[in-house]
């Protein structure tokens, strides 16, 4: 697919966020993502990329559920709601995913079916494979303008660094 701009307006800068929905560090990153979204609006395309870690047994199902929530038009609200309840996800697993879907007005039955039939497995696996290929080792990790920023150890200074890169890329577009 060609992303050529037809109206003369600049394309948004893409920020890939490699995330895992059972990860407390990803929960901490939400404030930065909200601030970036508020500051840049549609000039920054924040894309959720899945990187479920083996140490969290419900992360893989949560990634699939997030994909289903995206299809139902509530991707980020679902992601934020699940990240706000990472401990509960650890104990309740898929039941929490269905509960959150219902709370957001999503079709929880369709969400359950998606988890059973595995329709989003390929998307999650592709994200994880791409993440590994570019050097993602933990979450959250950000990729913007070809630069990888690891937020798993500390979020300190990452928002500012992302803004520096985004501002530079937007300025280069003219």
């Amino acid at each position: 697919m060609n992303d050529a701009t037809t109206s003369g307006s600049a394309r948004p800068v893409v920020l890939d966020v490699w995330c895992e929905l059972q990860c407390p560090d990803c929960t901490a990153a939400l404030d930065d993502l909200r601030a970036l979204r508020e500051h840049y609006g549609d000039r920054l395309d924040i894309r959720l990329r899945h990187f479920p870690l083996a140490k969290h047994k419900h992360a893989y199902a949560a990634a699939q559920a997030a994909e289903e929530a995206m299809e139902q038009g509530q991707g980020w609200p679902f992601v934020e709601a699940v990240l706000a309840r990472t401990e509960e996800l650890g104990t309740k697993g898929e039941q929490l995913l269905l509960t959150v879907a219902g709370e957001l007005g999503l079709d929880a039955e369709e969400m359950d079916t998606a988890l059973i039939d595995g329709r989003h497995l390929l998307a999650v696996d592709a994200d994880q494979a791409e993440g590994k290929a570019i050097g993602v080792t933990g979450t959250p990790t950000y990729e913007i303008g070809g630069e990888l920023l690891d937020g798993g150890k500390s979020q300190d200074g990452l928002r500012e660094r992302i803004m520096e890169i985004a501002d530079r890329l937007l300025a280069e577009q003219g």
Side-chain angles (χ1 to χ4, degrees):
M1 181 160 88
N2 188 341
D3 284 346
T5 307
T6 55
S7 65
S9 63
R11 286 186 314 208
V13 169
V14 174
L15 172 65
D16 282 334
V17 181
W18 301 89
C19 183
E20 195 240 60
L21 298 187
Q22 204 174 337
C23 169
D25 292 329
C26 290
T27 303
L30 283 177
D31 286 340
D32 284 337
L33 294 178
R34 286 185 193 111
L36 290 165
R37 212 179 270 124
E38 187 175 313
H39 181 78
Y40 289 101
D42 61 4
R43 296 178 304 145
L44 183 68
D45 181 11
I46 301 175
R47 298 190 314 190
L48 176 69
R49 304 301 299 271
H50 302 290
F51 203 80
L53 303 170
K55 68 181 178 180
H56 294 135
K57 74 178 196 173
H58 301 295
Y60 198 75
Q64 294 174 69
E67 283 294 307
E68 180 59 29
M70 298 252 180
E71 278 198 8
Q72 293 188 33
Q74 291 285 328
W76 277 107
F78 181 84
V79 166
E80 291 191 20
V82 172
L83 281 172
R85 296 161 81 172
T86 54
E87 284 186 35
E88 200 177 343
L89 178 59
T91 58
K92 293 186 177 172
E94 290 185 16
Q95 186 53 53
L96 175 72
L97 302 172
L98 301 176
T99 298
V100 169
E103 290 169 0
L104 293 173
L106 297 172
D107 185 337
E109 195 172 305
E110 190 63 25
M111 173 83 63
D112 190 37
T113 302
L115 290 170
I116 292 167
D117 71 21
R119 68 182 76 157
H120 301 294
L121 287 171
L122 290 176
V124 174
D125 288 347
D127 274 0
Q128 192 164 39
E130 184 179 336
K132 286 179 181 175
I134 66 169
V136 175
T137 58
T139 58
T141 297
Y142 307 91
E143 192 275 327
I144 182 170
E147 188 169 334
L148 217 54
L149 306 167
D150 183 353
K153 294 176 180 55
S154 171
Q155 290 290 123
D156 291 345
L158 286 184
R159 182 190 317 175
E160 293 77 15
R161 182 68 186 129
I162 290 167
M163 291 176 79
E164 285 173 17
I165 296 167
D167 289 345
R168 185 190 78 229
L169 294 171
L170 287 166
E172 288 172 3
Q173 289 184 11

